Amino acid sequence: MVKLSERDPWLFPHLLKRLEEWDERFAGQTQIVERLQGFDAVIATGSNNSARYFEQYFGKYPHIIRRNRNSIAVLTGRESREHLLELGKDVFSYFGLGCRNVSKLYLPRQSSRGQDYDFEPLLEALHEYKEVILHHPYKNNFDYNYALLMLNKEPFYATGSVILREDERLTSRIATLHYEFYESEEHLAKALSAQRENIQCVMSEVPVAGFSVLPFGKSQTPGLKNYPDGVDVMEFLRTIA
C-alpha cells in the first residue's frame, strides 16, 4: 500500500507504472490508498514534525521513519578549482532541494599560513552554475533572501546565483548556502558529532574523523547499498517477510 504525499502525487504512480512495464510480476502488487489500513509494517518519510506523528501512529509496528537531514561539505582552503567546481554539483543539483544536497559548508577560520579563509576561489567556482538563476521560482527565492539580508543589514556573500551567509543551522533556504568556521580538527569533530543524526552526507577531499566521506561532486550518485540514513531497507523488508 502507498499513501502519496499531497505535494507529489505524480512521481510514485509513474514509477509503479514503469516497474510493471519492466517486469509484469509487479502488476497488482501495489495499491495507492487515501487511508492506510491493514498493514504489517511502515516506511514513512516526512519532516521532523510529521515524524513525531508517524512515531505516535506507527510506533507499535515494524517501521522505518525518515526525518529531515542535510548534507554538508568540509573544506580546508587547499581545494583546487576542479574540486570547487565539483562541489557546485552537490550544491545546485535539483536546485539544492534534496537531503543529499550540500546546504552548509564548514570552513577553516585560518589557513595553514595563518591567513583568513579566502572566499574568492569558492565564489568564482559557484558562479559557474549561474544558469540556475534563469529558473523563475529559484530566482524569486534568491531575490527574496537577498532583499531580506540587505534590509536586516546582515553580512553575506553573493555570486548572482547563490547567497552565502554565516549560520550554525544545517538547513538553508533555497538559493542560500550556510557556512560555519572551525578552529581546528578537534573543533570540527565536536561540531559534526553534535549534528550526526541530522547529517546525510559529508563531502570532502580529506578524511573527517568519525564520518564516511564522499568526494566532491558525488553526493547525488549513491551506490545500491548507500541507503538513506544508513538504514538497510532491503534487510528490513527481509526480516518482516
Side-chain angles (χ1 to χ4, degrees):
M1 287 183 289
V2 178
K3 173 69 169 68
L4 300 175
S5 167
E6 293 181 356
R7 298 179 63 183
D8 185 8
W10 305 283
L11 179 60
F12 220 93
H14 175 73
L15 177 59
L16 294 177
K17 180 180 178 181
R18 296 293 290 172
L19 286 173
E20 292 178 7
E21 292 174 357
W22 294 331
D23 190 334
E24 61 184 15
R25 290 175 296 178
F26 279 103
Q29 296 297 312
T30 56
Q31 180 183 6
I32 295 176
V33 299
E34 288 297 321
R35 185 179 180 86
L36 292 173
Q37 293 178 324
F39 53 86
D40 299 311
V42 175
I43 299 176
T45 299
S47 66
N48 289 344
N49 187 50
S50 60
R52 289 195 289 268
Y53 292 99
F54 291 157
E55 289 282 3
Q56 180 180 349
Y57 295 146
F58 307 131
K60 63 182 179 181
Y61 301 97
H63 62 267
I64 296 175
I65 296 177
R66 297 198 59 216
R67 297 166 173 79
N68 285 347
R69 288 205 179 205
N70 296 91
S71 295
I72 60 102
V74 175
L75 284 73
T76 64
R78 300 188 298 272
E79 289 78 18
S80 66
R81 176 171 171 78
E82 289 70 26
H83 286 151
L84 296 177
L85 287 172
E86 287 296 300
L87 173 61
K89 296 178 182 178
D90 302 322
V91 173
F92 291 107
S93 295
Y94 310 110
F95 303 100
L97 294 174
C99 66
R100 298 182 70 91
N101 284 106
V102 168
S103 60
K104 182 174 181 179
L105 308 176
Y106 284 86
L107 309 174
R109 175 74 66 180
Q110 292 185 327
S111 69
S112 57
R113 300 177 181 177
Q115 299 173 330
D116 291 343
Y117 182 80
D118 183 6
F119 280 87
E120 196 61 31
L122 173 62
L123 295 173
E124 289 179 357
L126 295 179
H127 186 61
E128 292 299 316
Y129 294 85
K130 54 185 177 295
E131 70 278 358
V132 71
I133 205 70
L134 299 177
H135 295 267
H136 296 302
Y138 184 93
K139 186 178 187 302
N140 290 340
N141 278 274
F142 177 90
D143 291 343
Y144 173 81
N145 293 324
Y146 189 95
L148 201 61
L149 291 169
M150 290 288 289
L151 288 171
N152 291 333
K153 298 182 179 180
E154 296 183 40
F156 65 92
Y157 297 92
T159 69
S161 57
V162 68
I163 298 166
L164 276 68
R165 60 174 298 193
E166 188 171 4
D167 197 310
E168 293 184 353
R169 292 172 294 180
L170 291 183
T171 303
S172 59
R173 294 172 178 265
I174 296 174
T176 303
L177 190 59
H178 290 171
Y179 68 86
E180 181 179 342
F181 291 113
Y182 63 89
E183 307 290 345
S184 64
E185 291 186 6
E186 292 75 16
H187 176 217
L188 174 65
K190 184 177 180 180
L192 295 186
S193 179
Q195 294 280 14
R196 181 177 297 277
E197 295 303 314
N198 300 315
I199 294 175
Q200 187 67 260
C201 301
V202 177
M203 315 303 298
S204 186
E205 294 299 322
V206 297
V208 176
F211 288 86
S212 297
V213 173
L214 294 173
F216 293 147
K218 300 299 182 182
S219 69
Q220 297 293 350
T221 56
L224 288 176
K225 293 187 177 181
N226 293 138
Y227 296 108
D229 307 347
V231 179
D232 189 330
V233 178
M234 301 309 294
E235 177 62 20
F236 170 76
L237 295 175
R238 188 190 67 79
T239 59
I240 64 174

